[in-house]
Amino acid sequence: MKLLTHNMLTSKCMKGVQVGYPLALEATEVKVVQTDYNSDFIQKLLPRLNYPTLYKAVESLGYTGNLPTELPENWELDEELMKKLHHALFEIDVVNGEMICPETGRKFPINNGIPNMLLNEDEV
């Protein structure tokens, strides 16, 4: 599972959950896979993401790679930073692990890079 995907997932659909975001991330297997860099795509995508959530996810995996804790102004002018953001969003792949709801503690497994967020009948 790419961290781009993690940044967009929530457990808000669970019974009793108000926000369900961000999901905590615990990985047992992480793989880094190189992908083609596209600065235009990063520039269009980043404003739609929650940067603090991305940073926390990268940090929990031990891959901060000198990312700043807060996104600086004019980040789009810093080519080196955009390459680091590309790496964090598209090249770090959580193969196995789990995501944890911040409100209920419910764990959602990640197996072979696929997050399973199916709910039990009593959770809907």
Side-chain angles (χ1 to χ4, degrees):
M1 176 188 73
K2 304 291 184 206
L3 295 184
L4 171 62
T5 302
H6 171 263
N7 199 273
M8 298 178 184
L9 293 175
T10 178
S11 56
K12 187 176 181 178
C13 58
M14 285 180 62
K15 185 188 303 182
V17 174
Q18 298 297 313
V19 179
Y21 185 85
L23 298 168
L25 185 59
E26 293 180 0
T28 55
E29 183 181 356
V30 176
K31 167 170 80 166
V32 176
V33 180
Q34 281 202 306
T35 61
D36 292 335
Y37 171 69
N38 182 332
S39 65
D40 291 336
F41 187 59
I42 295 293
Q43 287 181 6
K44 291 176 183 172
L45 178 67
L46 203 61
R48 295 179 169 97
L49 295 179
N50 183 312
Y51 184 79
T53 297
L54 173 64
Y55 184 83
K56 188 173 181 177
V58 172
E59 183 179 47
S60 73
L61 300 176
Y63 285 90
T64 55
N66 298 321
L67 279 177
T69 55
E70 294 180 14
L71 196 59
E73 286 187 37
N74 300 320
W75 58 266
E76 66 276 1
L77 302 176
D78 186 342
E79 190 73 18
E80 197 59 38
L81 175 58
M82 289 204 316
K83 287 180 180 179
K84 290 176 184 178
L85 292 167
H86 165 83
H87 175 73
L89 289 166
F90 301 109
E91 295 182 343
I92 299 172
D93 196 7
V94 178
V95 179
N96 293 302
E98 55 193 18
M99 296 178 295
I100 305 161
C101 174
E103 294 175 45
T104 66
R106 163 70 147 83
K107 295 180 179 184
F108 298 96
I110 303 166
N111 294 306
N112 297 319
I114 301 169
N116 180 349
M117 298 202 60
L118 295 175
L119 300 175
N120 298 321
E121 195 172 308
D122 63 330
E123 295 175 311
V124 181

